[in-house]
Coordinates of all heavy atoms in Angstrom, one line a residue:
G1 N -70.2 -76.2 -123.3 CA -69.7 -77.4 -122.8 C -70.9 -78.4 -122.6 O -71.9 -78.3 -123.2
L2 N -70.7 -79.4 -121.8 CA -71.7 -80.4 -121.6 C -72.8 -80.0 -120.7 O -73.9 -80.7 -120.7 CB -71.0 -81.7 -121.0 CG -70.0 -82.4 -121.9 CD1 -69.4 -83.6 -121.1 CD2 -70.7 -82.9 -123.2
D3 N -72.7 -78.9 -120.1 CA -73.9 -78.3 -119.3 C -75.1 -78.1 -120.2 O -76.2 -78.2 -119.7 CB -73.5 -77.0 -118.6 CG -72.9 -77.3 -117.2 OD1 -72.9 -78.4 -116.8 OD2 -72.3 -76.3 -116.7
A4 N -74.8 -77.8 -121.5 CA -75.9 -77.6 -122.4 C -76.8 -78.8 -122.6 O -77.9 -78.7 -123.0 CB -75.4 -77.1 -123.7
F5 N -76.3 -80.0 -122.3 CA -77.1 -81.2 -122.5 C -77.9 -81.7 -121.3 O -78.3 -82.8 -121.2 CB -76.1 -82.3 -123.0 CG -75.7 -82.2 -124.4 CD1 -74.6 -81.6 -124.8 CD2 -76.6 -82.6 -125.4 CE1 -74.2 -81.4 -126.1 CE2 -76.3 -82.4 -126.7 CZ -75.1 -81.9 -127.1
R6 N -78.2 -80.7 -120.5 CA -79.2 -81.0 -119.4 C -80.6 -80.8 -120.0 O -81.0 -79.6 -120.1 CB -78.9 -80.2 -118.2 CG -77.7 -80.5 -117.5 CD -77.5 -79.7 -116.2 NE -76.2 -80.0 -115.6 CZ -75.7 -79.4 -114.6 NH1 -76.4 -78.4 -114.1 NH2 -74.5 -79.7 -114.2
G7 N -81.3 -81.8 -120.3 CA -82.6 -81.6 -120.9 C -83.7 -81.5 -120.0 O -83.6 -81.8 -118.8
T8 N -84.9 -81.1 -120.5 CA -86.1 -81.0 -119.8 C -87.1 -82.0 -120.3 O -87.5 -82.0 -121.4 CB -86.7 -79.6 -120.0 OG1 -85.8 -78.6 -119.6 CG2 -88.0 -79.4 -119.2
P9 N -87.4 -83.0 -119.4 CA -88.3 -84.1 -119.9 C -89.8 -83.5 -120.0 O -90.1 -82.6 -119.2 CB -88.2 -85.1 -118.8 CG -87.7 -84.5 -117.6 CD -86.9 -83.3 -118.1
Y10 N -90.6 -84.1 -120.8 CA -92.0 -83.8 -121.0 C -92.8 -85.0 -121.4 O -92.2 -86.0 -121.9 CB -92.2 -82.6 -121.9 CG -91.8 -82.9 -123.3 CD1 -92.8 -83.3 -124.2 CD2 -90.5 -82.7 -123.8 CE1 -92.5 -83.6 -125.5 CE2 -90.2 -83.0 -125.1 CZ -91.2 -83.4 -126.0 OH -90.9 -83.7 -127.3
G11 N -94.1 -84.9 -121.3 CA -94.9 -86.0 -121.8 C -96.3 -85.4 -122.2 O -96.6 -84.3 -121.9
G12 N -97.0 -86.2 -123.0 CA -98.3 -85.7 -123.4 C -99.2 -86.8 -123.9 O -98.7 -87.9 -124.1
F13 N -100.4 -86.5 -124.1 CA -101.4 -87.5 -124.6 C -102.4 -86.8 -125.4 O -102.7 -85.6 -125.2 CB -102.0 -88.4 -123.5 CG -102.7 -87.6 -122.4 CD1 -104.0 -87.2 -122.5 CD2 -101.9 -87.2 -121.3 CE1 -104.6 -86.5 -121.5 CE2 -102.6 -86.5 -120.3 CZ -103.9 -86.1 -120.4
R14 N -103.0 -87.5 -126.4 CA -104.1 -86.9 -127.2 C -105.1 -88.0 -127.4 O -104.9 -89.2 -127.6 CB -103.5 -86.6 -128.6 CG -102.5 -85.5 -128.6 CD -102.1 -85.1 -130.0 NE -101.3 -86.1 -130.6 CZ -100.0 -86.3 -130.4 NH1 -99.3 -85.5 -129.6 NH2 -99.3 -87.3 -131.0
F15 N -106.4 -87.6 -127.2 CA -107.5 -88.5 -127.4 C -108.4 -87.9 -128.5 O -108.7 -86.7 -128.5 CB -108.3 -88.6 -126.1 CG -107.6 -89.3 -125.0 CD1 -107.0 -88.6 -124.0 CD2 -107.4 -90.7 -125.1 CE1 -106.3 -89.2 -123.0 CE2 -106.7 -91.3 -124.0 CZ -106.1 -90.6 -123.0
A16 N -109.0 -88.8 -129.4 CA -109.9 -88.3 -130.4 C -111.3 -88.9 -130.1 O -111.4 -89.9 -129.5 CB -109.4 -88.7 -131.8
E17 N -112.3 -88.3 -130.7 CA -113.7 -88.8 -130.5 C -113.8 -90.2 -131.1 O -114.7 -91.0 -130.6 CB -114.7 -87.9 -131.2 CG -114.8 -86.6 -130.5 CD -115.8 -85.7 -131.2 OE1 -116.7 -86.2 -131.9 OE2 -115.8 -84.4 -130.9
T18 N -113.0 -90.6 -132.0 CA -113.1 -91.9 -132.7 C -112.5 -93.0 -131.8 O -112.6 -94.2 -132.1 CB -112.3 -91.9 -134.0 OG1 -110.9 -91.6 -133.7 CG2 -112.9 -90.9 -135.0
G19 N -111.9 -92.7 -130.7 CA -111.3 -93.6 -129.8 C -109.8 -93.7 -130.0 O -109.1 -94.4 -129.2
A20 N -109.3 -93.1 -131.0 CA -107.8 -93.1 -131.2 C -107.1 -92.3 -130.1 O -107.7 -91.4 -129.6 CB -107.5 -92.5 -132.6
R21 N -105.9 -92.7 -129.8 CA -105.2 -92.0 -128.8 C -103.7 -92.1 -129.0 O -103.3 -93.0 -129.8 CB -105.5 -92.5 -127.4 CG -105.3 -94.0 -127.2 CD -105.8 -94.5 -125.9 NE -105.6 -95.9 -125.8 CZ -106.2 -96.7 -125.0 NH1 -107.1 -96.2 -124.1 NH2 -106.0 -98.0 -125.0
A22 N -103.0 -91.2 -128.5 CA -101.5 -91.2 -128.7 C -100.9 -90.7 -127.3 O -101.4 -89.8 -126.7 CB -101.1 -90.3 -129.8
F23 N -99.8 -91.4 -127.0 CA -99.0 -91.1 -125.8 C -97.6 -90.7 -126.2 O -97.0 -91.5 -127.0 CB -99.0 -92.3 -124.8 CG -100.3 -92.8 -124.5 CD1 -100.9 -93.8 -125.2 CD2 -101.0 -92.2 -123.4 CE1 -102.2 -94.3 -124.8 CE2 -102.3 -92.7 -123.1 CZ -102.9 -93.7 -123.8
S24 N -97.1 -89.7 -125.7 CA -95.7 -89.3 -126.1 C -94.9 -88.8 -124.9 O -95.4 -88.4 -123.9 CB -95.7 -88.2 -127.2 OG -96.3 -87.0 -126.6
S25 N -93.6 -89.0 -125.0 CA -92.7 -88.5 -124.0 C -91.4 -88.1 -124.7 O -91.1 -88.7 -125.8 CB -92.5 -89.4 -122.9 OG -91.9 -90.6 -123.3
G26 N -90.6 -87.2 -124.2 CA -89.4 -86.8 -124.8 C -88.6 -85.9 -123.9 O -88.9 -85.8 -122.7
V27 N -87.6 -85.3 -124.5 CA -86.7 -84.4 -123.8 C -86.4 -83.2 -124.7 O -86.2 -83.4 -125.9 CB -85.5 -85.1 -123.2 CG1 -84.6 -85.6 -124.3 CG2 -84.7 -84.3 -122.3
R28 N -86.4 -82.0 -124.1 CA -86.0 -80.8 -124.8 C -84.7 -80.3 -124.3 O -84.4 -80.3 -123.1 CB -87.0 -79.7 -124.6 CG -88.3 -79.8 -125.4 CD -89.1 -78.6 -125.1 NE -89.7 -78.5 -123.8 CZ -90.9 -78.9 -123.4 NH1 -91.7 -79.4 -124.3 NH2 -91.3 -78.9 -122.2
Y29 N -83.8 -79.9 -125.3 CA -82.5 -79.3 -124.9 C -82.4 -77.9 -125.5 O -82.7 -77.7 -126.7 CB -81.4 -80.2 -125.6 CG -81.3 -81.6 -125.1 CD1 -81.8 -82.6 -125.8 CD2 -80.7 -81.8 -123.9 CE1 -81.7 -83.9 -125.3 CE2 -80.6 -83.1 -123.4 CZ -81.1 -84.2 -124.1 OH -81.0 -85.5 -123.7
E30 N -82.1 -77.0 -124.6 CA -81.8 -75.6 -125.1 C -80.2 -75.5 -125.1 O -79.6 -75.6 -124.1 CB -82.4 -74.6 -124.2 CG -83.9 -74.5 -124.2 CD -84.4 -74.2 -125.5 OE1 -83.8 -73.3 -126.3 OE2 -85.5 -74.7 -125.9
L31 N -79.7 -75.5 -126.3 CA -78.2 -75.6 -126.5 C -77.5 -74.2 -126.6 O -76.3 -74.2 -126.8 CB -77.9 -76.4 -127.7 CG -78.5 -77.8 -127.7 CD1 -78.3 -78.6 -129.0 CD2 -77.9 -78.6 -126.5
G32 N -78.3 -73.2 -126.5 CA -77.7 -71.8 -126.6 C -78.7 -70.9 -127.2 O -79.8 -71.3 -127.5
S33 N -78.3 -69.7 -127.4 CA -79.2 -68.6 -127.9 C -79.7 -69.0 -129.3 O -78.8 -69.1 -130.2 CB -78.5 -67.3 -127.9 OG -79.3 -66.3 -128.4
G34 N -80.9 -69.3 -129.5 CA -81.5 -69.6 -130.8 C -81.2 -71.0 -131.3 O -81.5 -71.4 -132.4
L35 N -80.7 -71.9 -130.4 CA -80.4 -73.3 -130.8 C -81.1 -74.3 -129.9 O -80.9 -74.2 -128.6 CB -78.9 -73.5 -130.9 CG -78.4 -74.8 -131.3 CD1 -78.8 -75.1 -132.8 CD2 -76.9 -74.9 -131.2
G36 N -81.9 -75.2 -130.4 CA -82.5 -76.2 -129.5 C -82.7 -77.5 -130.2 O -82.6 -77.6 -131.5
L37 N -83.0 -78.5 -129.4 CA -83.1 -79.9 -130.0 C -84.2 -80.6 -129.1 O -84.3 -80.4 -127.9 CB -81.8 -80.7 -129.8 CG -81.8 -82.1 -130.3 CD1 -82.0 -82.2 -131.8 CD2 -80.5 -82.8 -129.8
R38 N -85.1 -81.3 -129.8 CA -86.1 -82.1 -129.2 C -86.1 -83.5 -129.7 O -86.1 -83.7 -130.9 CB -87.5 -81.4 -129.4 CG -88.6 -82.0 -128.6 CD -89.8 -81.1 -128.6 NE -90.5 -81.2 -129.8 CZ -91.6 -80.5 -130.1 NH1 -92.1 -79.7 -129.2 NH2 -92.2 -80.6 -131.2
I39 N -86.2 -84.5 -128.8 CA -86.3 -85.9 -129.2 C -87.5 -86.5 -128.5 O -87.7 -86.3 -127.3 CB -85.0 -86.7 -128.7 CG1 -83.8 -86.0 -129.3 CG2 -85.1 -88.1 -129.0 CD1 -82.5 -86.5 -128.7
E40 N -88.4 -87.1 -129.3 CA -89.7 -87.6 -128.8 C -90.0 -88.9 -129.3 O -89.8 -89.2 -130.5 CB -90.7 -86.6 -129.2 CG -92.1 -86.9 -128.7 CD -93.1 -85.8 -129.1 OE1 -93.0 -84.7 -128.6 OE2 -94.0 -86.1 -129.9
G41 N -90.6 -89.8 -128.4 CA -91.1 -91.1 -128.8 C -92.7 -91.0 -128.6 O -93.1 -90.5 -127.6
T42 N -93.4 -91.6 -129.5 CA -94.9 -91.6 -129.5 C -95.4 -93.0 -129.8 O -94.9 -93.7 -130.7 CB -95.5 -90.6 -130.5 OG1 -94.9 -89.3 -130.2 CG2 -97.0 -90.5 -130.4
R43 N -96.5 -93.4 -129.1 CA -97.3 -94.6 -129.4 C -98.7 -94.2 -129.8 O -99.4 -93.5 -129.0 CB -97.3 -95.5 -128.1 CG -98.2 -96.7 -128.3 CD -98.2 -97.5 -127.0 NE -99.2 -98.6 -127.1 CZ -98.9 -99.9 -127.4 NH1 -97.6 -100.2 -127.6 NH2 -99.8 -100.8 -127.5
H44 N -99.1 -94.6 -131.0 CA -100.4 -94.3 -131.5 C -101.2 -95.5 -131.4 O -100.8 -96.6 -131.9 CB -100.3 -93.9 -133.0 CG -99.4 -92.7 -133.2 ND1 -99.9 -91.4 -133.2 CD2 -98.1 -92.6 -133.5 CE1 -98.9 -90.6 -133.4 NE2 -97.8 -91.3 -133.6
E45 N -102.5 -95.4 -130.9 CA -103.3 -96.6 -130.8 C -104.7 -96.3 -131.3 O -105.2 -95.1 -131.2 CB -103.5 -97.0 -129.3 CG -102.2 -97.3 -128.6 CD -102.5 -97.6 -127.1 OE1 -103.6 -97.3 -126.6 OE2 -101.6 -98.2 -126.5
N46 N -105.4 -97.3 -131.9 CA -106.8 -97.2 -132.3 C -107.3 -98.6 -132.3 O -106.6 -99.6 -132.4 CB -107.0 -96.4 -133.5 CG -106.6 -97.1 -134.8 OD1 -106.9 -98.2 -135.0 ND2 -105.9 -96.3 -135.7
A47 N -108.7 -98.7 -132.3 CA -109.3 -100.0 -132.3 C -109.2 -100.8 -133.6 O -109.4 -102.0 -133.6 CB -110.8 -99.8 -131.9
L48 N -108.9 -100.2 -134.7 CA -108.9 -100.8 -136.0 C -107.5 -101.3 -136.5 O -107.5 -102.0 -137.5 CB -109.5 -99.9 -137.0 CG -110.9 -99.3 -136.7 CD1 -111.3 -98.3 -137.8 CD2 -111.9 -100.5 -136.7
A49 N -106.5 -101.0 -135.8 CA -105.1 -101.4 -136.3 C -104.2 -101.6 -135.1 O -104.5 -101.2 -134.0 CB -104.6 -100.3 -137.1
A50 N -103.1 -102.3 -135.4 CA -102.1 -102.5 -134.4 C -101.4 -101.2 -134.0 O -101.4 -100.2 -134.8 CB -101.0 -103.4 -134.9
P51 N -100.9 -101.1 -132.8 CA -100.2 -99.8 -132.3 C -99.0 -99.5 -133.2 O -98.4 -100.4 -133.7 CB -99.8 -100.1 -130.9 CG -100.6 -101.3 -130.5 CD -100.9 -102.0 -131.7
R52 N -98.8 -98.2 -133.4 CA -97.6 -97.7 -134.2 C -96.8 -96.9 -133.2 O -97.3 -96.2 -132.4 CB -98.1 -96.7 -135.3 CG -98.7 -97.4 -136.5 CD -99.1 -96.3 -137.5 NE -99.7 -95.2 -136.8 CZ -99.7 -93.9 -137.1 NH1 -99.0 -93.6 -138.2 NH2 -100.2 -93.0 -136.5
H53 N -95.5 -97.0 -133.4 CA -94.5 -96.3 -132.6 C -93.6 -95.4 -133.5 O -93.2 -95.9 -134.6 CB -93.6 -97.3 -131.9 CG -94.4 -98.2 -130.9 ND1 -94.9 -99.4 -131.3 CD2 -94.7 -98.0 -129.6 CE1 -95.5 -99.9 -130.3 NE2 -95.4 -99.1 -129.3
T54 N -93.4 -94.2 -133.1 CA -92.6 -93.3 -133.9 C -91.5 -92.6 -132.9 O -91.8 -92.5 -131.8 CB -93.4 -92.2 -134.6 OG1 -94.1 -91.5 -133.6 CG2 -94.4 -92.8 -135.6
I55 N -90.4 -92.3 -133.5 CA -89.4 -91.5 -132.9 C -89.1 -90.3 -133.7 O -88.9 -90.4 -134.9 CB -88.1 -92.3 -132.7 CG1 -88.4 -93.5 -131.8 CG2 -87.0 -91.5 -132.1 CD1 -87.2 -94.5 -131.6
G56 N -89.1 -89.1 -133.1 CA -88.9 -87.9 -133.8 C -87.8 -87.1 -133.2 O -87.5 -87.1 -132.0
I57 N -87.0 -86.4 -134.1 CA -86.0 -85.5 -133.7 C -86.2 -84.2 -134.4 O -86.4 -84.2 -135.6 CB -84.6 -86.1 -134.1 CG1 -84.3 -87.4 -133.4 CG2 -83.5 -85.1 -133.7 CD1 -83.1 -88.1 -133.8
R58 N -86.3 -83.1 -133.7 CA -86.5 -81.8 -134.3 C -85.5 -80.8 -133.7 O -85.2 -80.8 -132.5 CB -87.9 -81.4 -133.9 CG -88.3 -80.0 -134.5 CD -89.7 -79.7 -134.1 NE -90.6 -80.7 -134.6 CZ -91.9 -80.7 -134.5 NH1 -92.5 -79.7 -133.9 NH2 -92.7 -81.6 -135.0
G59 N -84.9 -80.1 -134.6 CA -84.0 -79.0 -134.3 C -84.5 -77.6 -134.5 O -85.4 -77.5 -135.3
R60 N -84.0 -76.7 -133.9 CA -84.4 -75.3 -134.1 C -83.1 -74.4 -134.1 O -82.2 -74.5 -133.2 CB -85.2 -74.8 -132.9 CG -85.6 -73.3 -133.0 CD -86.5 -72.9 -131.8 NE -86.1 -73.4 -130.5 CZ -85.1 -72.9 -129.7 NH1 -84.5 -71.8 -130.2 NH2 -84.8 -73.4 -128.6
F61 N -83.0 -73.6 -135.1 CA -81.9 -72.7 -135.2 C -82.4 -71.4 -135.7 O -83.0 -71.3 -136.8 CB -80.8 -73.2 -136.3 CG -79.6 -72.4 -136.4 CD1 -78.7 -72.4 -135.4 CD2 -79.5 -71.6 -137.5 CE1 -77.5 -71.6 -135.5 CE2 -78.4 -70.8 -137.6 CZ -77.4 -70.8 -136.7
R62 N -82.2 -70.3 -135.0 CA -82.6 -69.0 -135.3 C -81.4 -68.0 -135.5 O -80.5 -68.0 -134.7 CB -83.5 -68.4 -134.2 CG -84.9 -68.9 -134.2 CD -85.7 -68.1 -133.2 NE -86.1 -69.0 -132.2 CZ -86.7 -68.7 -131.1 NH1 -86.9 -67.4 -130.8 NH2 -87.0 -69.6 -130.2
F63 N -81.5 -67.3 -136.6 CA -80.5 -66.3 -136.9 C -80.9 -65.0 -136.2 O -82.0 -64.6 -136.1 CB -80.4 -66.0 -138.4 CG -79.9 -67.2 -139.2 CD1 -80.8 -68.0 -139.9 CD2 -78.6 -67.4 -139.3 CE1 -80.4 -69.0 -140.6 CE2 -78.1 -68.5 -140.0 CZ -79.0 -69.3 -140.7
H64 N -79.9 -64.4 -135.6 CA -80.1 -63.1 -134.9 C -79.6 -62.0 -135.7 O -78.7 -62.0 -136.4 CB -79.5 -63.1 -133.5 CG -80.1 -64.1 -132.6 ND1 -81.3 -63.8 -131.9 CD2 -79.8 -65.4 -132.3 CE1 -81.6 -64.9 -131.2 NE2 -80.7 -65.9 -131.4

């Protein structure tokens, strides 16, 4: 049912020696045994270019 759509929020960041950095946040859903979904938004920044934004969706399905 809809109880499976209670997600777990998360966030993260990455820094490189070059000064580039990325900030991300998203939510993970465990939809059942061997089935999951992750939705994430990320902002990439560096001194040489305008910021880039990405949205990713990743699924996981395992056969038992």
Side-chain angles (χ1 to χ4, degrees):
L2 293 177
D3 274 348
F5 282 98
R6 291 185 187 172
T8 303
Y10 67 92
F13 55 90
R14 294 182 291 279
F15 295 103
E17 291 180 19
T18 61
R21 57 189 177 195
F23 305 94
S24 62
S25 64
V27 64
R28 280 187 292 264
Y29 297 99
E30 292 299 324
L31 303 173
S33 179
L35 184 62
L37 178 67
R38 187 165 76 178
I39 302 169
E40 179 178 294
T42 305
R43 177 182 171 98
H44 303 272
E45 301 176 346
N46 70 47
L48 302 175
R52 289 180 312 150
H53 299 89
T54 59
I55 296 175
I57 300 172
R58 183 177 299 183
R60 175 179 46 80
F61 182 75
R62 278 190 245 172
F63 294 99
H64 293 278

